[in-house]
Amino acid sequence: MNFSFENLEEIFKQINAYEIKSSDDLEQFRIKFLGTKNVIKPLFGAIKDIPNDQKKNYGQEVNSLKSVAETRYEEVKTHLDATQKSKAIADLDLTLPGEPLNMGSQHPVSIMMNKIIDIFEKIGFAVAEEREIEDDWHNFSAMNTPEDHPARDMQDTFYLMDSTKYLLRTHTSSVQARVMTTQKPPIRIIAPGRVYRNETISARSHCQFHQVEGLYIDEKVSFADLKQTLLYFAKEMYGENAKIRLRPSYFPFTEPSAEMDVWLGTETEKTYRLTKGTGWLEIMGCGMVDPQVLVNCGIDPEKYSGYAFGMGVERQALTKFDIGDIRLLFENDVRFLKQFSTVI
Ligand code: DAH
C-alpha cells in the first residue's frame, strides 16, 4: 500500500460522505473509522516509513483525520438521539390511561403512634427514644420490681441468651428510668417504642407490640394534672365528646395506680363488640410515680412528684381501623398495608 497524502485525502472524503441514516449505519461508521481495526490505524503505523522532512506534516494530517471521524461520529449521534426522542414524544398517545402509581403508605401502627406523639407534643412533651435491649435494672429494679417481686411474673420476659441481666424490654417504662437517671426535673417526655413479651401469639395478643410511655416530673404534680392530661388526650384521639374513666389498679412503679378506659359506647355493632358490651375500652395504665422509683433514680421525692402512664398502640390501632386480628399488623402483607391512608 502506498501511504501518500492522496491516500489521506481519500479517507477524509469517505468520512464526510459516509451515509448515516440510522443507528446501525452509525455503528458501521464507528467500526470502520474508530473501531479497534479501523482504517486510520495503519496510517499511524506507516509514519516510520515516511521521509523525515514530511514526517511531521504527515503525522498531523493522520491525527486530524482521526479527530474529523470522532467529530462526525459525535455530531451524528447527537442528532440521531434527538430525533429518536422527539419521535418517541410524537408517538405518545396522551389519551391512554396512565400507569397506576404505586404509592407507599404508612403502617397503621406508625399512623397511630405519630398521632399520639402529635397530641402530646402540642402540650409540651418531648419524645425520648431508647434501646429495646435493656438491662434488668432499668426494666425492673429501678421501676420498683426487685428480683423476688411477684410482679415480675406479670410480664413474661425474653432474656438474652446466657444472660439474666440483659433482656428485651417488656415495657417502655424502662425509658422512665433512663430519663430520670440522666435528666434533671422538670421532665416531660413521651417514649414511643416496641416492647416484647413471651406470649402465645393469637388474634388478640402478640409477642411484640408497641407502647407509648408518658412521664411528667416537677414540683407539685398532682393526680388532677394526670387526669386532665389524659382527658385531653382522649378528646384529641376519640373526639370532643370522649369520656374517660379511671379504675383503681396496681403497678409496682406507681402509687396510687389506675387503669384508664375510654368511652366508645355500645351503639354500633363494632363498639359493642370491642367493649364487650360495656361501652368502655381499656387503653392504658397510669398513676403517680412511686416515691421509691424517684429515689432509685436519684430524684428527691420530698421536692418532686410526678405522674406516669403507658398505653398500648396496637389495641387503639385495631379499634380505629377496625382490624380484627393483631397478627395482620406484623405480617407485612402489602394487600393489607396499602389500605391505610395517613389521615385519621
Ligand atoms: N408498664 C405498664 C405495662 O406495660 C403500663 C404502665 C402502667 C405504664 C402504669 C406506666 C404506668 O407508666 O404508670 O403494663
Side-chain angles (χ1 to χ4, degrees):
M1 196 173 174
N2 174 18
F3 297 108
S4 63
F5 282 89
E6 284 78 43
N7 225 328
L8 298 184
E9 184 63 30
E10 172 57 26
I11 295 178
F12 181 74
K13 277 189 193 143
Q14 279 180 23
I15 291 172
N16 281 326
Y18 201 98
E19 204 173 12
I20 312 175
K21 287 203 169 131
S22 63
S23 42
D24 283 348
D25 295 344
L26 183 66
E27 181 58 8
Q28 290 311 315
F29 175 89
R30 191 192 63 78
I31 292 167
K32 181 161 182 188
F33 298 104
L34 299 166
T36 41
K37 289 184 182 157
N38 71 62
V39 295
I40 303 172
K41 230 181 214 171
L43 305 180
F44 282 104
I47 292 178
K48 62 178 186 323
D49 305 326
I50 300 285
N52 273 344
D53 60 337
Q54 291 178 37
K55 238 188 196 130
K56 188 173 168 210
N57 205 356
Y58 182 87
Q60 279 170 351
E61 291 293 319
V62 177
N63 264 323
S64 78
L65 208 52
K66 188 179 165 210
S67 51
V68 167
E70 281 167 354
T71 311
R72 171 116 210 262
Y73 176 82
E74 284 307 327
E75 274 171 10
V76 179
K77 185 170 186 315
T78 312
H79 175 72
L80 279 180
D81 285 352
T83 334
Q84 223 162 31
K85 223 183 251 169
S86 51
K87 186 168 177 312
I89 291 170
D91 286 349
L92 261 187
D93 181 350
L94 296 175
T95 64
L96 282 177
E99 290 279 323
L101 258 187
N102 280 324
M103 299 277 278
S105 59
Q106 271 192 57
H107 193 282
V109 168
S110 302
I111 298 175
M112 204 63 195
M113 206 137 75
N114 289 336
K115 172 96 181 164
I116 298 170
I117 292 171
D118 282 351
I119 292 173
F120 284 103
E121 276 187 337
K122 267 202 236 168
I123 54 168
F125 281 76
V127 172
E129 278 185 304
E130 267 298 342
R131 63 211 73 189
E132 292 176 18
I133 295 177
E134 251 311 345
D135 57 42
D136 181 271
W137 190 81
H138 289 87
N139 195 81
F140 288 127
S141 307
M143 301 314 290
N144 219 14
T145 318
E147 222 148 281
D148 52 355
H149 197 289
R152 287 211 183 187
D153 300 336
M154 282 164 64
Q155 304 179 354
D156 292 308
T157 312
F158 282 121
Y159 284 91
L160 262 62
M161 233 198 279
D162 300 330
S163 169
T164 48
K165 183 163 181 246
Y166 291 104
L167 46 84
L168 297 179
R169 66 179 179 194
T170 59
H171 52 186
T172 43
S173 300
S174 59
V175 185
Q176 288 192 34
R178 288 272 163 205
V179 172
M180 283 192 279
T181 48
T182 51
Q183 295 177 28
K184 286 197 164 59
I187 291 169
R188 203 192 281 122
I189 58 105
I190 47 166
R194 190 175 294 203
V195 301
Y196 304 84
R197 287 183 202 174
N198 190 1
E199 274 177 26
T200 314
I201 298 173
S202 72
R204 297 182 63 83
S205 67
H206 210 282
C207 60
Q208 53 171 352
F209 52 98
H210 297 77
Q211 291 185 332
V212 178
E213 192 82 10
L215 177 69
Y216 179 34
I217 310 277
D218 204 343
E219 291 177 31
K220 302 193 179 71
V221 177
S222 71
F223 200 91
D225 297 325
L226 170 64
K227 211 169 138 186
Q228 280 309 307
T229 307
L230 297 184
L231 180 60
Y232 155 78
F233 168 75
K235 284 177 187 289
E236 290 284 313
M237 184 62 97
Y238 294 96
E240 202 31 54
N241 296 326
K243 285 193 288 185
I244 60 166
R245 157 173 104 170
L246 291 164
R247 283 178 292 105
S249 184
Y250 170 76
F251 297 101
F253 30 88
T254 40
E255 182 57 38
S257 304
E259 269 165 312
M260 187 188 105
D261 302 338
V262 61
W263 175 252
L264 300 181
T266 50
E267 270 146 43
T268 67
E269 185 268 328
K270 179 187 160 189
T271 54
Y272 188 92
R273 175 168 38 86
L274 285 167
T275 65
K276 299 197 191 106
T278 65
W280 294 101
L281 184 75
E282 184 207 316
I283 57 174
M284 68 173 102
C286 60
M288 299 307 291
V289 178
D290 192 305
Q292 186 58 47
V293 172
L294 296 178
V295 171
N296 294 346
C297 297
I299 291 176
D300 180 3
E302 298 297 326
K303 186 164 182 213
Y304 294 106
S305 58
Y307 65 67
F309 55 84
M311 67 180 90
V313 179
E314 274 76 4
R315 167 128 22 128
Q316 295 188 73
L318 297 188
T319 311
K320 202 91 187 173
F321 296 113
D322 201 12
I323 302 164
D325 191 323
I326 195 173
R327 289 169 291 198
L328 287 165
L329 296 174
F330 298 106
E331 281 165 2
N332 288 333
D333 186 329
V334 176
R335 290 168 305 176
F336 168 75
L337 293 176
K338 73 178 177 194
Q339 299 174 61
F340 301 96
S341 83
T342 53
V343 185
I344 57 169

